[in-house]
Amino acid sequence: MNSSASTPTSAPIRASALASQAEVQSESILILAGSGDPIYAVERKLQARTEQADYFKVQIRAHASARGSEWTLLQGEAAEWHNGYHSAEVWVDHASSSISFGPEYGVQVLETLAGKGLPAYLFAQTIVWAKARYPDYSIKGGLLRAEDAANEEARLRRNGYYATQGFDFEWFDIEQRSGRYFKAKASQLLGVWDSETVRRLDCERLLDTLASQASHCSELEQHLSRANSKKEHATVKLERERMLNLILVGVTCFVLVMGLMAALRV
């Protein structure tokens, strides 16, 4: 009788389960230019890995807007972490050597961060991550729905979103409103975005700025200290002059009274 035992095969892990296991790997600060006032945002990248699959996600949340030297802290949904907004993700299946990008129908952006180039930036981050690690894996394409191309502007924007990253298309209609996007290998994708619209805040530059502001605050404190010292000195001097004036007035009154009394006696 053969006593050797076969090694059990692990059950496939669901994409949602893998996503729930993702842990934050890094955080950085972004400057979002584009239309309107610049917005400073926090970017974080999460990752989970098993023997069967890899998962990577990048998220954005707004922190503050800047208008000249005035800063305004942002509140509401745009300043919170969301699974449905301001995020992009990628699943890697090792058994089939394939890669899937999400969200399925593109990155969703709230009005506060609209026009800041976020969809292209977030999509590009997942592509850069995937092609750097699994360049020979195939890309599982996705469907392009006709309802996402309701007018010419929407159609061009949607198709350009994928074309800019190097995807190929198979169209189901002559107007190119419905179809599917695909690519043979991850290495053939581009992973590009407008670096003038979305850029990372250089850490060295940030430290220099903080050091400069600290130095400026120190100078202001010294000026304030000197001003307070001068104010205190002036207050003491004024109080002395007031007391001296009171004494002089008292002496003058005394002399006048004595002179008047002497005149009456005469």
Side-chain angles (χ1 to χ4, degrees), residues 180-259:
R180 72 182 189 95
Y181 63 91
F182 63 94
K183 202 68 179 181
K185 292 185 178 182
S187 60
Q188 297 172 339
L189 294 176
L190 300 178
V192 296
W193 72 94
D194 184 354
S195 59
E196 293 298 320
T197 302
V198 182
R199 63 183 186 273
R200 290 189 179 90
L201 186 61
D202 181 71
C203 292
E204 184 175 350
R205 179 183 172 188
L206 177 60
L207 291 175
D208 289 342
T209 301
L210 292 175
S212 176
Q213 290 180 343
S215 177
H216 182 62
C217 288
S218 178
E219 291 178 3
L220 290 177
E221 288 177 354
Q222 292 177 9
H223 285 309
L224 182 61
S225 177
R226 288 194 291 267
N228 287 335
S229 178
K230 290 181 180 179
K231 180 181 178 181
E232 291 177 1
H233 179 72
T235 301
V236 171
K237 184 178 179 180
L238 183 63
E239 183 65 21
R240 287 176 179 175
E241 291 179 353
R242 190 179 71 84
M243 293 300 298
L244 179 60
N245 288 336
L246 289 175
I247 293 173
L248 290 175
V249 170
V251 171
T252 300
C253 290
F254 177 76
V255 171
L256 289 174
V257 169
M258 294 302 295

Coordinates of all heavy atoms in Angstrom, one line a residue, residues 180-259:
R180 N -14.8 46.2 -26.3 CA -14.0 45.8 -25.2 C -12.5 46.2 -25.4 O -12.1 46.5 -26.5 CB -14.0 44.2 -25.0 CG -13.2 43.5 -26.1 CD -13.3 42.0 -25.9 NE -12.4 41.3 -26.8 CZ -11.2 40.9 -26.5 NH1 -10.7 41.1 -25.3 NH2 -10.4 40.2 -27.4
Y181 N -11.8 46.4 -24.3 CA -10.4 46.8 -24.3 C -9.5 45.6 -23.9 O -10.0 44.8 -23.0 CB -10.1 48.1 -23.5 CG -10.4 47.9 -22.0 CD1 -9.4 47.5 -21.1 CD2 -11.7 48.1 -21.5 CE1 -9.6 47.3 -19.8 CE2 -11.9 48.0 -20.1 CZ -10.9 47.6 -19.3 OH -11.1 47.4 -18.0
F182 N -8.3 45.5 -24.4 CA -7.5 44.4 -24.0 C -6.0 44.7 -24.4 O -5.7 45.7 -25.0 CB -7.9 43.1 -24.8 CG -7.8 43.3 -26.3 CD1 -6.6 42.8 -27.0 CD2 -8.8 43.8 -27.1 CE1 -6.5 42.9 -28.3 CE2 -8.7 44.0 -28.4 CZ -7.5 43.5 -29.1
K183 N -5.1 43.8 -23.9 CA -3.7 43.9 -24.2 C -3.1 42.6 -24.0 O -3.4 41.9 -23.0 CB -3.0 45.0 -23.4 CG -1.7 45.5 -24.0 CD -2.0 46.3 -25.3 CE -0.7 46.8 -25.9 NZ -1.0 47.6 -27.1
A184 N -2.1 42.2 -24.8 CA -1.5 40.8 -24.7 C -0.7 40.7 -23.4 O -0.8 39.7 -22.7 CB -0.7 40.5 -25.9
K185 N 0.2 41.7 -23.1 CA 1.0 41.6 -22.0 C 1.1 42.9 -21.2 O 0.9 44.0 -21.8 CB 2.5 41.2 -22.5 CG 2.6 39.8 -23.0 CD 4.1 39.6 -23.3 CE 4.3 38.1 -23.8 NZ 5.7 37.8 -24.1
A186 N 1.3 42.8 -20.0 CA 1.4 44.0 -19.1 C 2.6 44.9 -19.5 O 2.5 46.1 -19.4 CB 1.6 43.6 -17.7
S187 N 3.6 44.3 -20.0 CA 4.8 45.1 -20.4 C 4.5 46.1 -21.6 O 5.2 47.1 -21.8 CB 6.0 44.2 -20.8 OG 5.6 43.4 -21.9
Q188 N 3.4 45.8 -22.3 CA 3.0 46.6 -23.5 C 2.2 47.8 -23.1 O 2.0 48.7 -23.9 CB 2.3 45.8 -24.5 CG 3.1 44.6 -25.1 CD 2.3 43.7 -25.9 OE1 1.0 43.6 -25.8 NE2 2.9 42.9 -26.8
L189 N 1.8 47.9 -21.9 CA 1.0 49.1 -21.4 C 2.0 50.2 -21.0 O 3.2 50.0 -20.8 CB 0.2 48.7 -20.2 CG -1.0 47.7 -20.5 CD1 -1.7 47.3 -19.2 CD2 -2.0 48.2 -21.5
L190 N 1.4 51.4 -20.9 CA 2.3 52.6 -20.7 C 2.4 53.1 -19.3 O 3.5 53.3 -18.8 CB 1.8 53.7 -21.6 CG 1.8 53.4 -23.1 CD1 1.2 54.5 -23.9 CD2 3.2 53.0 -23.6
G191 N 1.3 53.3 -18.6 CA 1.3 53.8 -17.3 C 1.7 55.3 -17.2 O 2.7 55.6 -16.5
V192 N 1.0 56.1 -17.9 CA 1.4 57.5 -18.0 C 0.2 58.4 -17.5 O -0.9 58.0 -17.4 CB 1.7 57.9 -19.5 CG1 2.9 57.2 -20.0 CG2 0.5 57.6 -20.4
W193 N 0.6 59.7 -17.1 CA -0.4 60.7 -16.6 C 0.3 62.0 -16.8 O 1.5 62.1 -17.1 CB -0.7 60.4 -15.2 CG 0.3 60.8 -14.2 CD1 0.5 62.0 -13.5 CD2 1.4 59.9 -13.7 NE1 1.6 61.9 -12.7 CE2 2.2 60.7 -12.8 CE3 1.8 58.6 -14.0 CZ2 3.3 60.1 -12.2 CZ3 2.9 58.1 -13.4 CH2 3.6 58.8 -12.5
D194 N -0.5 63.1 -16.7 CA 0.0 64.4 -16.8 C 0.7 64.8 -15.5 O 0.0 65.1 -14.5 CB -1.2 65.4 -17.1 CG -0.8 66.8 -17.3 OD1 0.4 67.1 -17.2 OD2 -1.7 67.6 -17.7
S195 N 2.0 64.8 -15.5 CA 2.8 65.1 -14.3 C 2.7 66.6 -13.9 O 3.1 66.9 -12.8 CB 4.2 64.7 -14.5 OG 4.8 65.4 -15.6
E196 N 2.2 67.5 -14.8 CA 2.0 68.9 -14.4 C 0.7 69.1 -13.6 O 0.6 70.0 -12.9 CB 2.0 69.7 -15.7 CG 3.3 69.8 -16.4 CD 4.4 70.4 -15.6 OE1 4.1 71.4 -14.9 OE2 5.5 69.9 -15.6
T197 N -0.2 68.2 -13.9 CA -1.5 68.3 -13.2 C -1.5 67.5 -11.8 O -2.0 68.0 -10.8 CB -2.7 67.7 -14.0 OG1 -2.7 68.4 -15.3 CG2 -4.0 67.8 -13.4
V198 N -0.9 66.4 -11.8 CA -0.7 65.6 -10.6 C 0.7 65.3 -10.3 O 1.4 64.7 -11.1 CB -1.5 64.2 -10.6 CG1 -1.4 63.5 -9.3 CG2 -3.0 64.5 -11.0
R199 N 1.2 65.8 -9.2 CA 2.7 65.6 -8.9 C 2.9 65.4 -7.4 O 2.1 65.9 -6.6 CB 3.5 66.8 -9.4 CG 3.2 68.1 -8.7 CD 4.1 69.2 -9.3 NE 4.0 70.4 -8.6 CZ 3.1 71.4 -8.9 NH1 2.1 71.1 -9.8 NH2 3.0 72.5 -8.2
R200 N 3.9 64.6 -7.1 CA 4.2 64.3 -5.7 C 5.0 65.4 -5.2 O 5.8 66.0 -5.8 CB 5.0 63.0 -5.6 CG 4.1 61.7 -5.9 CD 4.9 60.5 -5.6 NE 4.1 59.3 -5.8 CZ 4.1 58.6 -7.0 NH1 4.8 59.1 -8.0 NH2 3.3 57.6 -7.2
L201 N 4.7 65.7 -3.9 CA 5.5 66.8 -3.2 C 6.8 66.2 -2.8 O 6.8 65.2 -2.0 CB 4.7 67.3 -2.0 CG 5.3 68.5 -1.3 CD1 5.4 69.7 -2.2 CD2 4.4 68.9 -0.1
D202 N 7.9 66.7 -3.3 CA 9.2 66.2 -2.9 C 9.5 66.4 -1.4 O 9.3 67.4 -0.9 CB 10.3 67.0 -3.7 CG 11.7 66.5 -3.5 OD1 12.0 65.4 -3.9 OD2 12.4 67.2 -2.8
C203 N 9.9 65.3 -0.8 CA 10.1 65.3 0.7 C 11.2 66.3 1.1 O 11.0 67.0 2.1 CB 10.5 63.9 1.1 SG 9.2 62.7 1.0
E204 N 12.3 66.4 0.3 CA 13.3 67.3 0.6 C 12.8 68.7 0.6 O 13.1 69.6 1.4 CB 14.5 67.1 -0.3 CG 15.7 68.0 0.0 CD 16.9 67.6 -0.8 OE1 16.9 66.6 -1.6 OE2 17.9 68.4 -0.8
R205 N 12.0 69.0 -0.5 CA 11.5 70.3 -0.6 C 10.5 70.6 0.5 O 10.5 71.8 1.0 CB 10.7 70.4 -2.0 CG 10.1 71.7 -2.2 CD 9.3 71.7 -3.5 NE 8.5 72.9 -3.7 CZ 7.6 73.0 -4.7 NH1 7.4 72.1 -5.6 NH2 6.9 74.2 -4.8
L206 N 9.7 69.6 0.9 CA 8.8 69.8 2.0 C 9.6 70.2 3.3 O 9.2 71.1 4.1 CB 8.0 68.6 2.2 CG 7.0 68.6 3.4 CD1 6.0 69.7 3.3 CD2 6.3 67.3 3.5
L207 N 10.7 69.4 3.6 CA 11.5 69.7 4.8 C 12.1 71.1 4.7 O 12.2 71.8 5.7 CB 12.6 68.6 4.9 CG 12.1 67.2 5.3 CD1 13.2 66.2 5.2 CD2 11.4 67.2 6.6
D208 N 12.6 71.5 3.5 CA 13.1 72.8 3.4 C 12.1 73.9 3.7 O 12.4 74.9 4.3 CB 13.7 73.0 2.0 CG 15.0 72.2 1.7 OD1 15.6 71.8 2.7 OD2 15.3 72.0 0.6
T209 N 10.9 73.6 3.2 CA 9.8 74.6 3.4 C 9.5 74.7 4.9 O 9.3 75.8 5.5 CB 8.5 74.2 2.7 OG1 8.8 74.1 1.3 CG2 7.4 75.1 2.9
L210 N 9.4 73.5 5.6 CA 9.1 73.5 7.0 C 10.2 74.2 7.8 O 9.9 75.0 8.8 CB 8.9 72.1 7.5 CG 7.7 71.3 7.0 CD1 7.7 69.9 7.4 CD2 6.4 72.0 7.5
A211 N 11.5 74.0 7.4 CA 12.6 74.6 8.1 C 12.6 76.1 7.9 O 12.8 76.9 8.8 CB 13.9 74.0 7.6
S212 N 12.2 76.5 6.7 CA 12.1 78.0 6.4 C 11.0 78.6 7.2 O 11.2 79.7 7.8 CB 11.9 78.2 4.9 OG 11.7 79.5 4.6
Q213 N 9.9 77.9 7.3 CA 8.8 78.4 8.1 C 9.1 78.5 9.6 O 8.7 79.4 10.3 CB 7.5 77.6 7.9 CG 6.9 77.7 6.5 CD 5.7 76.9 6.3 OE1 5.5 76.0 7.0 NE2 4.9 77.2 5.2
A214 N 9.8 77.5 10.1 CA 10.2 77.5 11.5 C 11.2 78.6 11.8 O 11.1 79.3 12.8 CB 10.9 76.1 11.8
S215 N 12.1 78.9 10.8 CA 13.0 80.0 11.0 C 12.3 81.3 11.0 O 12.6 82.2 11.8 CB 14.1 80.0 9.9 OG 14.9 81.1 9.9
H216 N 11.3 81.4 10.1 CA 10.5 82.7 10.0 C 9.7 82.9 11.3 O 9.6 84.0 11.8 CB 9.6 82.6 8.8 CG 8.7 83.8 8.6 ND1 9.3 85.0 8.3 CD2 7.4 84.0 8.6 CE1 8.3 85.9 8.2 NE2 7.2 85.3 8.3
C217 N 9.1 81.8 11.8 CA 8.4 81.9 13.0 C 9.3 82.3 14.2 O 8.9 83.1 15.1 CB 7.7 80.6 13.4 SG 6.3 80.2 12.3
S218 N 10.5 81.8 14.2 CA 11.5 82.2 15.2 C 11.8 83.7 15.2 O 11.9 84.4 16.2 CB 12.8 81.3 15.1 OG 13.7 81.7 16.1
E219 N 12.0 84.2 13.9 CA 12.3 85.6 13.8 C 11.1 86.4 14.2 O 11.3 87.5 14.9 CB 12.6 85.9 12.3 CG 13.9 85.3 11.8 CD 14.2 85.6 10.4 OE1 13.3 86.3 9.7 OE2 15.2 85.1 9.8
L220 N 9.9 86.0 13.9 CA 8.7 86.8 14.3 C 8.6 86.8 15.8 O 8.2 87.8 16.4 CB 7.5 86.1 13.7 CG 7.3 86.3 12.2 CD1 6.0 85.6 11.7 CD2 7.2 87.8 11.9
E221 N 8.9 85.6 16.5 CA 8.9 85.6 17.9 C 9.9 86.5 18.6 O 9.6 87.2 19.6 CB 9.1 84.2 18.4 CG 8.0 83.2 18.1 CD 8.3 81.8 18.5 OE1 9.5 81.5 18.9 OE2 7.4 80.9 18.5
Q222 N 11.1 86.6 18.0 CA 12.1 87.5 18.5 C 11.7 89.0 18.3 O 11.9 89.8 19.2 CB 13.4 87.3 17.7 CG 14.1 85.9 18.0 CD 15.3 85.7 17.2 OE1 15.8 86.6 16.5 NE2 15.9 84.5 17.3
H223 N 11.1 89.3 17.1 CA 10.6 90.7 16.9 C 9.5 91.0 17.9 O 9.5 92.1 18.5 CB 10.0 90.8 15.5 CG 11.1 90.9 14.4 ND1 12.2 91.8 14.5 CD2 11.3 90.2 13.3 CE1 12.9 91.6 13.4 NE2 12.4 90.7 12.7
L224 N 8.6 90.0 18.2 CA 7.5 90.2 19.1 C 8.1 90.4 20.5 O 7.6 91.3 21.3 CB 6.6 89.0 19.1 CG 5.3 89.1 20.0 CD1 4.5 90.3 19.6 CD2 4.5 87.8 19.9
S225 N 9.1 89.6 20.9 CA 9.7 89.8 22.2 C 10.3 91.1 22.4 O 10.1 91.8 23.4 CB 10.7 88.7 22.4 OG 11.4 88.8 23.6
R226 N 11.0 91.6 21.3 CA 11.6 92.9 21.4 C 10.6 94.0 21.5 O 10.7 95.0 22.2 CB 12.6 93.2 20.2 CG 13.9 92.4 20.3 CD 14.9 92.9 19.3 NE 14.4 92.6 17.9 CZ 14.8 91.5 17.2 NH1 15.6 90.6 17.8 NH2 14.4 91.4 16.0
A227 N 9.5 93.8 20.7 CA 8.4 94.8 20.7 C 7.7 94.9 22.1 O 7.4 96.0 22.6 CB 7.4 94.5 19.7
N228 N 7.5 93.7 22.7 CA 6.9 93.7 24.0 C 7.9 94.3 25.1 O 7.4 95.0 26.0 CB 6.6 92.2 24.4 CG 5.5 91.6 23.7 OD1 4.6 92.4 23.2 ND2 5.4 90.3 23.5
S229 N 9.2 94.0 24.9 CA 10.1 94.6 25.8 C 10.1 96.2 25.7 O 10.1 96.9 26.8 CB 11.5 94.1 25.5 OG 12.5 94.7 26.4
K230 N 10.1 96.7 24.5 CA 10.0 98.1 24.3 C 8.7 98.7 24.9 O 8.7 99.8 25.5 CB 10.1 98.5 22.8 CG 11.5 98.2 22.2 CD 11.5 98.6 20.8 CE 12.9 98.3 20.2 NZ 13.0 98.7 18.7
K231 N 7.6 97.9 24.7 CA 6.3 98.4 25.2 C 6.4 98.5 26.7 O 5.9 99.4 27.3 CB 5.2 97.4 24.8 CG 3.8 97.8 25.2 CD 2.8 96.8 24.8 CE 1.4 97.2 25.3 NZ 0.4 96.2 24.8
E232 N 6.9 97.4 27.4 CA 7.0 97.4 28.8 C 7.9 98.6 29.3 O 7.6 99.2 30.3 CB 7.6 96.1 29.3 CG 6.7 94.9 29.1 CD 7.3 93.6 29.5 OE1 8.5 93.6 30.0 OE2 6.7 92.5 29.4
H233 N 9.0 98.8 28.6 CA 9.9 99.9 29.0 C 9.2 101.3 28.8 O 9.3 102.2 29.7 CB 11.1 99.9 28.1 CG 12.1 101.0 28.4 ND1 12.9 101.1 29.5 CD2 12.4 102.2 27.6 CE1 13.6 102.2 29.5 NE2 13.3 102.9 28.3
A234 N 8.4 101.4 27.7 CA 7.7 102.7 27.5 C 6.6 102.8 28.6 O 6.3 104.0 29.1 CB 7.1 102.7 26.1
T235 N 6.0 101.7 29.0 CA 4.9 101.8 30.0 C 5.5 102.2 31.4 O 4.9 103.1 32.1 CB 4.2 100.4 30.2 OG1 3.7 100.0 28.9 CG2 3.2 100.4 31.2
V236 N 6.6 101.7 31.7 CA 7.3 102.1 33.0 C 7.7 103.5 32.9 O 7.5 104.3 33.9 CB 8.6 101.2 33.2 CG1 9.4 101.7 34.4 CG2 8.1 99.7 33.5
K237 N 8.3 104.0 31.8 CA 8.7 105.4 31.7 C 7.5 106.3 31.8 O 7.6 107.3 32.4 CB 9.4 105.5 30.3 CG 10.0 106.9 30.1 CD 10.7 107.0 28.8 CE 11.2 108.4 28.6 NZ 12.0 108.6 27.3
L238 N 6.4 105.9 31.1 CA 5.2 106.7 31.1 C 4.6 106.8 32.5 O 4.2 107.9 33.0 CB 4.1 106.1 30.2 CG 2.8 106.9 30.0 CD1 3.1 108.3 29.5 CD2 1.9 106.1 29.2
E239 N 4.7 105.7 33.3 CA 4.2 105.7 34.7 C 5.0 106.6 35.6 O 4.5 107.3 36.4 CB 4.2 104.3 35.2 CG 3.6 104.1 36.6 CD 2.1 104.5 36.7 OE1 1.5 104.5 35.6 OE2 1.6 104.8 37.8
R240 N 6.4 106.6 35.3 CA 7.2 107.5 36.1 C 7.0 108.9 35.8 O 6.9 109.8 36.7 CB 8.7 107.1 35.8 CG 9.2 105.8 36.4 CD 10.6 105.6 35.9 NE 11.1 104.3 36.5 CZ 12.3 103.8 36.1 NH1 13.1 104.4 35.2 NH2 12.7 102.6 36.7
E241 N 6.8 109.3 34.5 CA 6.5 110.6 34.2 C 5.1 111.1 34.8 O 5.0 112.2 35.2 CB 6.4 110.8 32.6 CG 7.8 110.6 32.0 CD 7.8 110.8 30.5 OE1 6.6 110.8 29.9 OE2 8.8 110.8 29.8
R242 N 4.2 110.2 34.8 CA 2.9 110.5 35.4 C 3.0 110.8 36.8 O 2.4 111.8 37.3 CB 1.9 109.3 35.1 CG 0.4 109.7 35.5 CD -0.5 108.5 35.2 NE -0.2 107.4 36.1 CZ -0.8 107.3 37.3 NH1 -1.6 108.3 37.8 NH2 -0.5 106.3 38.1
M243 N 3.7 110.0 37.6 CA 3.9 110.2 39.0 C 4.7 111.5 39.3 O 4.4 112.2 40.2 CB 4.7 109.0 39.6 CG 4.0 107.7 39.6 SD 2.4 107.8 40.6 CE 3.1 108.1 42.2
L244 N 5.7 111.8 38.4 CA 6.4 113.0 38.5 C 5.5 114.2 38.3 O 5.6 115.2 39.1 CB 7.6 113.1 37.5 CG 8.5 114.3 37.6 CD1 9.1 114.5 39.0 CD2 9.6 114.2 36.5
N245 N 4.7 114.1 37.3 CA 3.7 115.2 37.0 C 2.8 115.5 38.2 O 2.5 116.6 38.6 CB 2.9 114.9 35.8 CG 3.8 115.1 34.5 OD1 4.8 115.8 34.5 ND2 3.4 114.4 33.5
L246 N 2.3 114.4 38.8 CA 1.5 114.5 40.0 C 2.2 115.2 41.1 O 1.6 116.0 41.8 CB 1.0 113.1 40.4 CG -0.1 112.4 39.5 CD1 -0.3 111.0 40.0 CD2 -1.3 113.2 39.4
I247 N 3.4 114.8 41.3 CA 4.2 115.4 42.4 C 4.4 116.9 42.1 O 4.2 117.8 43.0 CB 5.6 114.7 42.5 CG1 5.4 113.3 43.0 CG2 6.5 115.5 43.5 CD1 6.7 112.5 43.1
L248 N 4.7 117.2 40.9 CA 4.9 118.7 40.5 C 3.6 119.4 40.7 O 3.6 120.6 41.2 CB 5.4 118.8 39.1 CG 6.9 118.3 38.8 CD1 7.2 118.3 37.4 CD2 7.9 119.1 39.6
V249 N 2.5 118.8 40.3 CA 1.2 119.5 40.5 C 0.9 119.7 42.0 O 0.5 120.8 42.4 CB 0.1 118.7 39.8 CG1 -1.3 119.2 40.2 CG2 0.3 118.7 38.3
G250 N 1.3 118.7 42.8 CA 1.0 118.8 44.2 C 1.9 119.9 44.8 O 1.4 120.7 45.7
V251 N 3.2 120.0 44.4 CA 4.1 121.0 45.0 C 3.6 122.4 44.5 O 3.6 123.3 45.3 CB 5.5 120.7 44.5 CG1 6.4 121.9 44.8 CG2 6.0 119.5 45.1
T252 N 3.2 122.5 43.3 CA 2.7 123.8 42.7 C 1.5 124.3 43.5 O 1.4 125.4 43.9 CB 2.4 123.7 41.3 OG1 3.6 123.2 40.5 CG2 1.9 125.0 40.7
C253 N 0.6 123.3 43.7 CA -0.6 123.7 44.5 C -0.3 124.1 45.9 O -0.9 125.1 46.5 CB -1.6 122.5 44.5 SG -2.4 122.2 42.9
F254 N 0.7 123.4 46.5 CA 1.1 123.8 47.9 C 1.7 125.1 48.0 O 1.4 126.0 48.8 CB 2.1 122.7 48.4 CG 2.6 123.0 49.7 CD1 1.9 122.8 50.9 CD2 3.9 123.5 49.9 CE1 2.4 123.1 52.1 CE2 4.4 123.8 51.2 CZ 3.6 123.6 52.3
V255 N 2.5 125.5 47.0 CA 3.2 126.8 46.9 C 2.1 127.9 46.8 O 2.2 128.9 47.4 CB 4.2 126.8 45.8 CG1 4.8 128.3 45.6 CG2 5.4 125.9 46.1
L256 N 1.2 127.6 45.8 CA 0.2 128.6 45.6 C -0.7 128.8 46.8 O -1.1 130.0 47.2 CB -0.7 128.1 44.4 CG -0.1 128.2 43.0 CD1 -1.0 127.6 42.0 CD2 0.2 129.6 42.7
V257 N -1.0 127.8 47.5 CA -1.8 127.9 48.7 C -1.1 128.7 49.8 O -1.6 129.6 50.5 CB -2.3 126.5 49.3 CG1 -2.9 126.6 50.7 CG2 -3.2 125.9 48.3
M258 N 0.2 128.3 50.0 CA 1.0 129.0 51.0 C 1.1 130.5 50.6 O 1.1 131.4 51.5 CB 2.4 128.4 51.1 CG 2.4 127.0 51.6 SD 1.6 126.9 53.3 CE 2.8 127.8 54.2
G259 N 1.3 130.8 49.4 CA 1.4 132.2 48.9 C 0.1 133.0 49.2 O 0.2 134.1 49.5

